[in-house]
Amino acid sequence: LRGVASEELISLMGDMGISMDQGNLKEVEEQLPYMEQLVGKISNPVASLNSIQMLKAVLIWFHGDWDESIRMCRQGLEEACQRGDVENQLNLTSELSWVLLEKNRWGELDDLSEAEALVSNALRIVDQGGPDEAIEVYCRMSTLRSRQRRLVEARQWLEKARSAAAPKPTAWDDLALDTCEAEIAYSEGRWAEA
């Protein structure tokens, strides 16, 4: 209503993230042209363009083209690193490492070295006082260690995430922690619990 394109875009990006989580991919696809119009009204559009590119990469992943999504995330990550954009580096690292781990889950990727390098870099950013994404990064490392069958370390990272979330966990934190528990149970063959 105030005509502030950047604020409208931020809200719309959040809304589209929820729509994607609910599987409403068509709604996201329909909103993308409008979102790109909004970016054209922002004086410094680089970060917003990067966010839209990440949204497109996730959308492509949800449609099943993991390799194209991985390519787009790698490109976006490289651009974010060149700009020194730490927030988008973390966001893209999160998405890219998750796609790689999903590919691994379904037997399409054995080598997790890229995922490990991504999560290790995210840990460095978080530990140096970067954006407050510690819980997500710790959980991602727990998941990675579970997939590598390094279960003692997986539990240690889960406990670190749990401690970071302890003061005031959000619903997202609870989901991430439960997912780690399931990953560890899965790796240990505790199928019903997983």
Side-chain angles (χ1 to χ4, degrees):
L1 290 173
R2 294 194 337 267
V4 182
S6 59
E7 291 179 13
E8 185 177 356
L9 183 61
I10 289 168
S11 299
L12 197 51
M13 289 289 290
D15 186 36
M16 291 304 99
I18 293 167
S19 291
M20 285 182 62
D21 288 345
Q22 294 175 334
N24 299 326
L25 305 185
K26 186 175 181 181
E27 180 184 356
V28 178
E29 290 165 345
E30 290 170 352
Q31 286 292 334
L32 276 170
Y34 180 65
M35 293 167 69
E36 289 170 332
Q37 281 180 348
L38 287 173
V39 170
K41 297 177 182 179
I42 297 173
S43 59
N44 186 5
V46 176
S48 298
L49 284 170
N50 197 279
S51 296
I52 287 177
Q53 196 65 9
M54 187 174 75
L55 185 66
K56 287 179 180 179
V58 175
L59 187 62
I60 287 169
W61 166 33
F62 278 25
H63 277 299
D65 191 347
W66 293 1
D67 291 334
E68 178 60 12
S69 179
I70 289 168
R71 185 198 66 74
M72 291 174 71
C73 285
R74 284 176 179 152
Q75 179 183 342
L77 181 57
E78 183 179 326
E79 292 167 3
C81 289
Q82 288 171 355
R83 288 193 316 272
D85 182 346
V86 175
E87 186 173 342
N88 269 317
Q89 283 180 49
L90 273 177
N91 289 337
L92 285 156
T93 294
S94 177
E95 294 301 335
L96 181 52
S97 64
W98 187 251
V99 177
L100 293 169
L101 287 167
E102 281 299 286
K103 222 175 158 181
N104 171 261
R105 158 77 69 220
W106 299 106
E108 295 191 23
L109 179 71
D110 293 326
D111 182 5
L112 290 174
S113 59
E114 181 180 8
E116 184 163 10
L118 289 164
V119 178
S120 295
N121 188 51
L123 282 170
R124 277 191 293 280
I125 292 170
V126 167
D127 289 344
Q128 292 172 356
D132 189 22
E133 305 293 333
I135 297 164
E136 182 180 350
V137 175
Y138 297 161
C139 285
R140 190 62 44 81
M141 184 58 90
S142 176
T143 298
L144 176 67
R145 294 302 185 227
S146 292
R147 297 285 177 84
Q148 294 170 324
R149 303 291 190 255
R150 294 163 63 175
L151 299 175
V152 170
E153 291 175 64
R155 283 190 198 86
Q156 290 169 343
W157 284 108
L158 172 58
E159 288 310 312
K160 194 166 182 172
R162 193 173 276 126
S163 294
K168 194 174 181 182
T170 67
W172 298 114
D173 295 338
D174 289 339
L175 177 62
L177 295 167
D178 289 347
T179 300
C180 290
E181 292 275 9
E183 285 284 346
I184 292 169
Y186 172 82
S187 293
E188 292 177 339
R190 295 181 283 120
W191 310 115
E193 189 177 344

